[in-house]
Each structure stands twice: as C-alpha cells, then as structure tokens.
Amino acid sequence: MLIVIVVVLAVCSALMFYLWRVCREDGLALNAIASIKTSSTMASEETWLYIHRKYRAVFCAAGIILVIMCMALVAYVVVTGDISGRHGNLWWIMLLVGCMALLATVIPVGIVADRDAARYNREHGYARCNDR
C-alpha cells in the first residue's frame, strides 16, 4: 500500500514540476486538464498566460510539498520496516499533514489568482468565461 502511495506522490510531484517549467518557459496553453481554472482565468488566452506566468510558483511549491510527503513515507518505511503500513497510524498522519499543507498552499493562491484575473480582465476589456 505504501509503495503505491509513494509512486503516486512521485508522479504527481513530477507533474507539478513539469507544469512549473512549462509556465516559466513558454506559458501554459489554455487547457481543461491541469491549471488554475476559473471563469476569470479562462476569459482569454492573454489572461490565462498572464495568470499562469505570475502564479507559476504555486506549481513548484506543490511539487516540493509532494516530494517532502514522498520522502517522509520512504523514511517511515526505512525506519520502521513497515512496508504495508499496517503497524501504525504515523504514515496516515504524515499524509494528512502533507495534504493540509498542499491545500493551504493551493486554495489561497487560486482565490488570489482568480481575483487578479478578474482585475486584469476589467483593465483589458475581457468578459468572464461564463459571460460570453
């Protein structure tokens, strides 16, 4: 069980670092898979690129949090020898704390990014995605 969780966390972390790199270099193209998706950020391609370039650090922060979660679980397995996760609740607590840290990072940034996108749209004359 723990091995599956470690692999999933590692893949998610790699995805976050990939998104960070794409946002930093080319800009993340408008998509429906992975991004900061709100009606304000999706109002135009220009708004989308502006927001994802400005808030790209959230992807890096999420990747770092996921790496720390992954390393904490690996350390748990190495120290306790409990590869199945059956001998204690410490690994659940580590996952819970990591998830709380991830949410405490991503949700506020999403709210701020949405407000910033709404301001950017007003300044540049774009309607929100739902207003079209």
Side-chain angles (χ1 to χ4, degrees), residues 54-92:
K54 185 172 181 180
Y55 294 97
R56 65 182 177 250
V58 73
F59 296 116
C60 184
I64 291 169
I65 291 169
L66 289 167
V67 165
I68 291 169
M69 290 170 64
C70 187
M71 289 173 31
L73 286 176
V74 168
Y76 171 82
V77 169
V78 168
V79 169
T80 64
D82 181 19
I83 199 162
S84 64
R86 295 183 190 167
H87 299 304
N89 292 328
L90 182 61
W91 67 281
W92 280 109

Side-chain angles (χ1 to χ4, degrees), residues 20-36:
W20 171 66
R21 186 180 60 80
V22 168
C23 287
R24 187 186 56 180
E25 293 174 0
D26 321 336
L28 185 64
L30 191 60
N31 71 78
I33 305 289
S35 57
I36 303 171

Side-chain angles (χ1 to χ4, degrees), residues 30 36-44 47-48 51 113-114 117 121:
L30 191 60
I36 303 171
K37 294 185 296 281
T38 67
S39 59
S40 295
T41 60
M42 297 178 78
S44 72
T47 304
W48 179 268
I51 291 299
D114 182 55
N121 289 333

